[in-house]
Each structure stands twice: as structure tokens, then as C-alpha cells.
Amino acid sequence: MERLQGIVDRITFQNAETGYTVARLQAEGHRGDPVTVVGEVLSLNPGESVVLEGEWMTHKQYGRQFKISSYQMVYPSSVEGMRRYLGSGLIKGVGPVTAKRIVSHFGQETLQVIEQEPDRLTEVEGLGAKRARLIVKAWEAQREIHNVMLFLQSHGVGTGFAVKIWKRYGQEAVSMIQENPYRLATEVWGIGFQTADEIAQKMGIETFSEKRICAGIQHVLNEAADKNGNVYLPREALIEMCIETLEVPGEKVGPCLDGLVQDETVILEEDRVYIPPLFYSEKGTATRCYQLSQVQRIELGDIPREIAAIEARTGVQFAPLQKQALQKVLSHNLLVLTGGPGTGKTTTIKGLIALLEARKKRILLAAPTGRAAKRMSEATGYEAKTIHRLLKYSPQEHAFEKNFENQLEVDVLIVDEVSMVDVVLMNSLLRAVPISASVILVGDTDQLPSVGPGNVLRDIIASGEVETVMLNEIFRQAQESRIVMNAHAINAGEFPDVRNVRDSDFFFLEVGEPEQVAKTVCGLCASRLPRTYGLDPIDDIQVLSPMYRGETGAFNLNRVLQDTLNPNGQEMIRGGMQLRVGDKVMQVRNNYDKDVFNGDIGRIVEMDLDEQVMTVAFQDRVAGYEFSELDELVLAYTITVHKSQGSEYKAVILPLTTQHYMMLQRNLLYTAITRARDLVVIVGTKQALGMAVKNNQVAKRHTSLAERIRLGVEDPGALRIQEVLF
């Protein structure tokens, strides 16, 4: 075993899931260029001084490397090391410029001064007493974090996660982890079960221990919800998945599962196993849907005459199914309006608003995302809010202010893009709606289901208990759009029209090799589309990829497009991700404190390396991110099709290769194409396009919402049919 000590120069690559890192190290005793070090170290940052143990090896492609088996952080001993360490962003208030000034002034005594004579910091030019106090305070906090970090590093956790753990638990971090390391997986964003399990096993928790298996069962249920959209798992399927994931025998899993059921950590209903929030959300959604569907309205007035008056005033001639929807909204408390592109959903919503306004009804419009709400507002001329803002989430209470006890003041609520809404959010929304109000759910069931658990829109329709109007006539104006016509062809399992016609809004570029596909996509964004159509390469064009990995996946295309479209912005590297001022980024988790949500897209407008804060401008707000929070952001020059739901872009570029064969599905292709307003360009092969069109096998989600709606609610008193004048 050899020993290597030095300063981390830069991070070349880092896998956040496995911790595998490739870094360059200015190693003591090695003159010239930095040496390459590789290994699973979870987190390193430029400027950190480390002692590595491992062995030298020669990679056939990349040459001589030092393979890390263990590592330890140390304070730097050289002046240059201190400058890099202080300026690395680890100490809030000290960036590269301030670090250089401090180290230039104090030299080898720098760390001693900060720790023992902090008042002397004011000797440094530009550092006042207030700034010096903030630096000392940050240093002391960093030292406390360092103590936690030393404990965590001995169990395989690096700097980035240590800061998060410190923020979550403070001084009690070590004792909390020693008591139950598996809580990290559910309580600290970014630390998954795999990392928590590695820590636990290094702490001596055995593979077959009850604590590990119980944590593993909850992990499998959460993964099934988060990654596959399942509301529950069948008991036997859950046990089989636990056997495979945890590598333990089935006879060990069953008793642990029974114990979790006994203490209500999970809920078992018949053979279905739920985590409690999903059980109660599905049950609550079903109950409210049933209750709303049972309300009988007494219609007043001459509705056909009112519709005719709207047609005369607006110049719009409603089709028979659209008129049917207008009439049914007055006689049903819960109505679903569904249909594909070009079938008149937006025109119908505008007609509904006109009809309801004429009757002096209080109307609210909502959509799941900021982009969808903005699109709804622009299309209708009526204010639309995101569901989260409509329900007024309170960060202090970690709950919505609008709820069953404090309901919305509304007569009619219209919700668009409902295919995106998961069962948890739908439950919160419906609970906040008075039983006397009418709810209109609008969406396209042929799009991808929600990212979150459930398949709400499909299940509500499948229940057969909720009045549904399905628009299926493509209007003449929409027939002129090849985007619309090809979307419907794809939905019907037909190969789309890929002839490239001048002045068309749909193009197909036949490109075979994935590397060439990536280059073509890059050229389209950087020059061809902006030059031909006057589009902004970042704001107006969105590249959508079926998956993350591969040369034409989101990860690689983001890197290539970042270097092409934004090569020179002020930059930083954090956790292996390079971010620059001007970059297009996307939020990947709901952050109620910042009022930004999963899927929101913005631009980085400022980086403060001293204060360790990055500022991102989103559509209608600006949010600040401490550097330890940057794993909530990813580059968004390219996003996955799943993440594009509910959004609309002027132009969509879709790379489509057989590299994506696992994700080539009809509803994914349909969703991608229908995200474009003015232009679609598919780059790839006809073989890949054909595979997607033919593959109509949608992964089945485990849900029981449709069944619950059919069965009604358990409390007979709640089933009294009410009569409401409308």
C-alpha cells in the first residue's frame, strides 16, 4: 500500500450515486503536471489537502493513475496549499481573491492567526471588523463540521454530504448516525439507501440485521414510488425485490415486514403494501372524487341560448362535443375534459370561462408547473396559478394553508395538464375544494403519466364514475400543422410523415452514428435554427432526450451544449458538476422554502464565491442557493422527455437513436412532439423512430384509485347526494 499527499487541483469526473471520482492532484514529491487519482471517495473539492492510500496502476487508455483505497483530509502545510484551501469555497466569506490577500499577508501563520488571533484579520487590506468576524464564525462552524466530517469520512462519506448532514442534525449528527445510519437515506436529500447502507455496514451493522432489512423494505417501497410511480407494491413482489436488493433470504424479510405493519410504519391492505402518505393520499383522492361525482346540480337558465350568445360575441363556433362539455359543467361537480393536440381543449376552456363569468361564478385556474400555468394564462387571458401557489404552501408549517379546514373560495376550479398531477398533490387539491364547487380536470391521457406516484387522470376516467368528455375531432386549422397530424399518427401506431417540406413545422434529419447525432443537435441549437427562424438558442430551443445516459443522453448533450452555447461564463465545479453564469438549469426537487419546484427551469445570473451563494432567475422569481444545495440543480440545455411534461417550447429537438432502445415508447415520443409549439426537429434513425411508434407497452403502475372510486367511501353518511343550484 502506497501513500500520496497533496492538494486537489480539479475534479475531472464524479458519479454522485456511486462516489466514483477521477481527480487531478498536485502531489508532494511529484514535479510537473498533477497526477491522476481515481476511486470511490464520494466527495472531494478543489483546494482540499488530502492523504491518500492505494496503489499505482496503468490504465490502457488514460495511462498511469493512483487507485485510492482510503483517504483522509488534512490541513495544508504550504502557503500555496493554504491559499487553495481557503479559496476553495469551503469557508463562507472567503473566495479566491480574499484567500490570496489573507495568505499573502500571513504566510505560513495563516491558519494559526484565524484560529488563535482572529482579530488580526483586519490587518488584511479590504477586511473590516464585521467581515473578519463573519469569516471567523464560518471557520469555527467549518471546524465543527470538520469533526463530523472526520467521523463520516472514516465511514466513507465525503465533504459535500458532511455539510448536508451537519445542516440537518447539527451537534447531534454523530450520535444520530450512530443510533440509526439508515435515517440518512430518508432525511438528508442526496444520500440514498446505498450510501447509508455502506455507512451502516462499516459501523458494524450486519447484513441480516433486522434494522437493515426494515430500512431496506422502506427503501424498496420509496424507490417503487419515486422511480416507477407505484402507489403500492404487492406483498410477494415487495419481498422478492427486497431479496434481490438486500441479498438476504425471504424468510428474513417476511417477519421484518410484519413488524413494520404492526407498528404502522407501512400499511398492508389485502396483499397491497403502502407507505402511509401514499395510502392516505389515494384513499383521500378516491373519497373526494366520489363525493364530488355524487352532487346533483339543478340547472337554471337557457344554456343553449347562453352558448349561442358566446359564439356570437367571440366569433367561435363550438363543435358538438365542445358544446356538450359546456353543458355538462353546469350539471356535474366533477368533469374530465380530455383530448389530443388540435382537438380544441383550450377553446373549450375559454368557452367554459365565458359561460361561467356570465353567471357571475368565482373561477380559479391552476396547472401543475409554472410553465403550464403561464401557458394557460396566455391561452385564456385569465390568471392561472401553480397548484402549490393556489394552495399556499407554508414553509413554516410544512403544509398547505388551503386544506379541508380552510378551503378555497371558489365556484369552479379548472385544472390543466392533469396527467402530470400525482396522487399526493391531487389529494391536497381536492381536499381544499368545497363540496359545492365544480372541478374540471383537463388533460391528455396519452401523454406520459406523472413523474410522481399514481396515474391519476387515467384512473379517474377508468373508474367509470366520473363524467368525461373526450374531444376527438382535429380542427381544420390544426390539420395544417404536421406536428399535430404526426402526433395523432404516432398515437394511432402509424409511422409519421417525415418528408422534409419547406415551411413545415416538422423535420426529420437522418443521422446514424450517435456521435454525429450529438454534433448535429449542437449545430441546430447554436446556428441553424437561430439563423433560420430567429430563435434564441437557450431560451427558445429545448433539446429533449429519452434518457440520461449515452452520447445522445441528457448528461453528455448538456456538457456539449454548455461548452458550445455558454463557454466563457464565470464558473465553479461542485461535486463534479461544472456550472457557469448564464447556464440554463433545472430544479430537481420541490423546495418549498425557495418556492421553486421539481422541473422549474431558470438561468444562473450570479456566483458569489466568497459568500458561497449562487443566484438563479426563474420565470417569475429569483432564488439563492448555498453551494451545499447545488445538487438540487442540473444543467437544462437538454432535459429528459419525462421532465418536459406540462411545458411548451417554441422549438423542440429530439435525438432518437437505438442507443435509447429501453426508452423508445409511443407515449414518450408522443409527449416529446406535443411539447413543441412552432417547430419539431427529430435527429436520428428511422429504425429508432419505428421502434418507438410500435412500442405501445406502457409500464403498469400499481394503483388502486379507480377501484376505490368505484367502491365509494366507507362512511355511508358521506354519500348523501346534495342538490346545488347552478
Side-chain angles (χ1 to χ4, degrees), residues 506-707:
F506 188 102
F507 293 91
F508 178 81
L509 303 183
E510 180 90 40
V511 182
E513 292 300 317
E515 184 180 350
Q516 283 302 119
V517 171
K519 286 183 179 178
T520 303
V521 168
C522 213
L524 286 166
C525 289
S527 57
R528 291 173 67 179
L529 297 188
R531 185 175 62 243
T532 305
Y533 297 97
L535 298 170
D536 183 281
I538 296 178
D539 292 334
D540 294 339
I541 302 170
Q542 185 60 60
V543 181
L544 303 180
S545 178
M547 60 196 303
Y548 287 105
R549 305 197 181 279
E551 284 188 273
T552 56
F555 289 146
N556 185 58
L557 286 176
N558 268 319
R559 182 184 61 79
V560 173
L561 287 167
Q562 180 190 44
D563 288 342
T564 302
L565 301 178
N566 188 32
N568 301 317
Q570 178 192 5
E571 69 178 29
M572 64 161 294
I573 297 175
R574 193 75 175 183
M577 181 170 63
Q578 188 175 52
L579 294 172
R580 297 173 183 153
V581 170
D583 273 341
K584 185 178 184 178
V585 292
M586 181 172 63
Q587 176 80 10
V588 294
R589 70 178 289 241
N590 289 338
N591 189 320
Y592 296 100
D593 294 328
K594 297 184 191 302
D595 199 25
V596 291
F597 303 99
N598 189 359
D600 285 353
I601 289 179
R603 296 280 290 274
I604 298 173
V605 294
E606 186 180 2
M607 288 181 190
D608 189 327
L609 300 182
D610 283 357
E611 294 302 317
Q612 298 180 48
V613 173
M614 179 180 289
T615 305
V616 179
F618 290 96
Q619 181 180 299
D620 54 359
R621 62 210 174 282
V622 173
Y625 291 79
E626 293 189 12
F627 285 0
S628 62
E629 300 175 308
L630 292 182
D631 58 353
E632 296 185 14
L633 297 172
V634 297
L635 291 173
Y637 298 100
T638 301
I639 64 175
T640 63
V641 178
H642 284 84
K643 287 290 188 182
S644 73
Q645 290 172 261
S647 298
E648 183 181 70
Y649 314 100
K650 287 185 178 179
V652 163
I653 300 173
L654 177 66
L656 211 61
T657 72
T658 51
Q659 268 194 337
H660 300 146
Y661 73 94
M662 290 183 65
M663 297 299 293
L664 293 178
Q665 297 172 339
R666 188 184 299 173
N667 62 348
L668 182 138
L669 178 60
Y670 174 80
T671 300
I673 288 171
T674 55
R675 297 308 89 206
R677 189 181 74 198
D678 301 327
L679 181 68
V680 167
V681 182
I682 297 178
V683 183
T685 65
K686 289 181 181 177
Q687 181 187 5
L689 182 58
M691 288 169 65
V693 172
K694 290 176 184 176
N695 182 8
N696 199 30
Q697 292 184 344
V698 179
K700 185 181 183 302
R701 294 186 169 192
H702 291 294
T703 73
S704 51
L705 179 61
E707 177 188 345

Side-chain angles (χ1 to χ4, degrees), residues 194 226 287 592:
Q194 183 180 345
D226 294 340
T287 298
Y592 296 100

Side-chain angles (χ1 to χ4, degrees), residues 17 181-187 190-197 210-228 230 233 238 241-247 253 257 260 265-266 273-276 278:
E17 294 179 8
Y182 290 105
R183 66 191 303 167
L184 293 172
T186 54
E187 295 179 1
I191 297 184
F193 177 80
Q194 183 180 345
T195 301
D197 194 32
E210 184 177 326
K211 183 179 286 188
R212 178 175 184 266
I213 295 171
C214 285
I217 291 169
Q218 294 173 74
H219 160 69
V220 169
L221 283 170
N222 281 307
E223 283 277 288
D226 294 340
K227 292 191 172 180
N228 299 314
N230 292 304
L233 284 177
L238 171 61
M241 292 168 75
C242 289
I243 292 170
E244 182 179 346
T245 302
L246 303 174
E247 297 181 343
V253 178
L257 177 55
L260 290 173
T265 301
V266 302
V273 186
Y274 299 79
I275 56 174
L278 297 186

